[in-house]
């Protein structure tokens, strides 16, 4: 495993991180709490030190399990969490999005409750969870500074979503000197990740990217194939058939990234992301110990060559020579598409 810094915060993260949204929830398949704890500890044993959770995952249960799993190695790991969804006063309705509260008072309260569940006196990375750009005002930014000055938070980030079209939010995070942006970013879904890299370079900013969904929800690691039957509650079952059909055709066009005995497709997709200097850590969705073993080893596999990178860019620019619509209607945007129009973003995805 290799390690990088989040911005200029001094917070170190492993190049492959553990997204703990799979722990304490059933949105990515059912597993027991004991299995979740075992996965977290197994990831640490494989060199992973960034563990990213959120207070809304399992309505606090993910944080509790992460805190329990890492209690004995707390000083050796980087714990990130997210706040903003008010699950305290609102019941969860299936996979629906809960109401958000983005104000200074709620932020302080939510952080205190997260610290209690994580059983720690600080979080290394605190992220605003899917905040819209107009929700982050001067009072909220001041509250984030207060939390850092108090020592309860080391670095601040902005987790974008729930889908991928949040350009205004990422740009605001960079302009306001956030340490990290968490964003959907992979070989199939390159906007807005590539846009943020350009913004970081133009502004000479220190903001780091933390790509999530690097395997495009199971396509690029081939955990979802034409024969796959998704389990009950698995959120990927809500995607249209056209999205999968298109994705499988794209995977076949990327077979040149595999190197027999040296690099799997799942590892190559992580190496492609790590080739970007702005990327600090990649957080795959681990479901098994075998996933951890394979993807935690990705930084040790051969990096993509210049030629391979150029072939990827060419395929993406040509939309992989696939004319079929993927069934996704397009980006979501908190500013009614003005951010997308400004950069000419046309790619549809989620």
């Amino acid at each position: 495993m290799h390690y990088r810094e989040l911005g200029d915060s001094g917070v170190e993260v492993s190049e492959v991180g553990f997204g703990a949204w799979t722990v304490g929830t059933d949105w990515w398949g059912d597993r027991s709490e004991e299995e979740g704890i075992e996965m977290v500890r197994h990831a640490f044993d494989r060199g992973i030190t960034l563990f990213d959770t959120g207070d809304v995952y399992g309505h606090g249960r993910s944080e509790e399990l992460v805190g329990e799993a890492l209690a004995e190695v707390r000083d050796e790991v980087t714990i990130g969490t997210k706040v903003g969804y008010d699950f305290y006063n609102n019941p969860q309705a299936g996979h629906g999005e809960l109401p958000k509260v983005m104000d200074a008072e709620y932020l302080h309260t939510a952080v205190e409750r997260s610290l209690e569940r994580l059983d720690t006196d600080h979080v290394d990375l605190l992220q605003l969870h899917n905040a819209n750009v107009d929700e982050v005002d001067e009072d909220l930014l001041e509250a984030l500074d207060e939390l850092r000055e108090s020592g309860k938070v080391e670095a601040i980030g902005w987790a974008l979503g729930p889908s991928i079209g949040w350009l205004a939010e990422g740009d605001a995070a960079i302009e306001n000197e956030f340490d990290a942006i968490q964003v959907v970013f992979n070989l199939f879904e390159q906007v807005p990740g590539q846009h943020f890299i350009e913004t970081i370079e133009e502004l000479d900013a220190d903001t780091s990217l933390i790509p999530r969904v690097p395997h495009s929800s199971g396509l690029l690691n081939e955990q979802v194939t034409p024969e796959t039957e998704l389990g009950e509650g698995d959120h990927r079952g809500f995607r249209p058939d056209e999205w999968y059909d298109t994705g499988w055709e794209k995977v076949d066009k990327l077979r040149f990234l595999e190197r027999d005995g040296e690099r799997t497709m799942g590892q190559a997709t992580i190496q492609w992301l790590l080739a970007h200097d702005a990327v600090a850590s990649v957080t795959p969705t681990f479901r098994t110990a075998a996933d951890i073993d394979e993807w935690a080893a990705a930084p040790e596999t051969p990096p993509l060559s210049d030629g391979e990178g150029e072939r990827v860019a060419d395929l993406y620019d040509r939309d992989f020579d696939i004319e079929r619509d993927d069934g996704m209607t397009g980006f979501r945007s908190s500013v009614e598409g003005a951010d997308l129009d400004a950069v000419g973003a046309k790619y549809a995805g989620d």
Side-chain angles (χ1 to χ4, degrees):
M1 182 62 68
H2 302 162
Y3 302 87
R4 302 185 182 186
E5 183 181 3
L6 281 180
D8 63 353
S9 66
V11 174
E12 184 182 80
V13 294
S14 49
E15 288 187 339
V16 177
F18 187 105
W21 40 82
T22 60
V23 176
T25 74
D26 63 357
W27 285 29
W28 287 264
D30 194 19
R31 63 184 49 79
S32 70
E33 293 187 347
E34 292 75 15
E35 289 171 331
I37 290 173
E38 289 175 3
M39 286 180 62
V40 171
R41 291 174 175 166
H42 185 71
F44 175 77
D45 290 341
R46 293 297 179 269
I48 291 175
T49 58
L50 171 61
F51 294 87
D52 178 43
T53 184
D55 65 356
V56 74
Y57 301 148
H59 288 197
R61 191 56 179 150
S62 178
E63 288 181 325
E64 292 172 344
L65 295 174
V66 168
E68 179 181 347
L70 298 174
E72 295 184 2
V73 294
R74 176 64 185 95
D75 293 339
E76 302 175 56
V77 297
T78 297
I79 294 180
T81 195
K82 312 177 192 72
V83 297
Y85 282 113
D86 184 12
F87 62 91
Y88 299 104
N89 299 301
N90 298 280
Q92 183 77 49
H95 289 187
E97 188 174 4
L98 288 168
K100 286 178 291 181
V101 179
M102 294 288 173
D103 62 47
E105 181 180 2
Y106 181 83
L107 179 66
H108 280 285
T109 299
V111 168
E112 291 296 337
R113 295 185 180 184
S114 287
L115 292 176
E116 291 175 7
R117 286 189 291 265
L118 288 164
D119 192 22
T120 186
D121 61 358
H122 75 284
V123 290
D124 303 282
L125 173 63
L126 177 70
Q127 299 158 94
L128 300 179
H129 202 171
N130 298 346
N132 288 4
V133 68
D134 60 0
E135 295 173 327
V136 182
D137 57 18
E138 290 300 321
D139 289 341
L140 193 62
L141 293 173
E142 183 178 345
L144 289 170
D145 286 338
E146 291 170 354
L147 287 166
R148 282 195 288 192
E149 291 169 2
S150 72
K152 294 178 182 178
V153 171
E154 293 293 327
I156 61 169
W158 197 326
L160 310 184
S163 64
I164 68 174
W166 302 96
L167 285 177
E169 283 68 25
D171 284 345
I174 297 167
E175 292 162 6
N176 284 286
E177 301 180 342
F178 277 59
D179 299 299
I181 300 170
Q182 187 169 160
V183 58
V184 173
F185 189 15
N186 58 62
L187 284 162
F188 294 165
E189 298 158 309
Q190 296 189 28
V191 180
Q194 296 285 16
H195 168 78
F196 296 146
I197 289 172
E198 293 173 4
T199 303
I200 289 168
E201 292 175 349
E202 289 171 3
L203 299 181
D204 194 24
D206 290 314
T207 305
S208 293
L209 298 186
I210 303 176
R212 63 183 179 90
V213 200
H215 296 121
S216 196
S217 297
L219 290 176
L220 282 161
N221 58 320
E222 298 185 88
Q223 285 190 343
V224 179
T225 70
E227 289 73 39
T228 302
E229 292 186 13
L230 297 173
E232 184 177 354
D234 192 313
H235 80 293
R236 295 170 298 174
F238 294 95
R239 291 177 182 260
D241 292 341
E242 295 88 347
W243 184 82
Y244 290 104
D245 292 338
T246 301
W248 292 321
E249 288 189 38
K250 292 178 181 179
V251 168
D252 284 339
K253 294 177 183 290
L254 291 170
R255 292 292 177 196
F256 64 89
L257 294 177
E258 296 176 311
R259 293 191 185 180
D260 188 32
E262 290 188 305
R263 188 176 66 198
T264 66
M265 180 70 77
Q267 291 171 330
T269 61
I270 292 173
Q271 280 285 28
W272 178 80
L273 288 164
L274 291 174
H276 299 86
D277 291 339
V279 170
S281 182
V282 180
T283 54
T285 300
F286 297 115
R287 293 180 175 81
T288 66
D291 290 344
I292 296 170
D293 292 340
E294 178 183 345
W295 302 334
E300 302 296 336
T301 64
L304 270 64
S305 67
D306 291 343
E308 288 170 329
E310 291 168 2
R311 287 183 67 181
V312 168
D314 184 54
L315 279 169
Y316 184 80
D317 288 343
R318 305 198 319 261
D319 200 19
F320 295 83
D321 297 323
I322 298 172
E323 296 183 359
R324 180 197 303 109
D325 182 79
D326 67 0
M328 308 300 284
T329 56
F331 284 114
R332 291 182 62 184
S333 169
S334 67
V335 290
E336 298 182 350
D339 50 353
L340 304 173
D341 291 340
V343 299
K346 303 299 182 184
Y347 178 80
D350 191 10

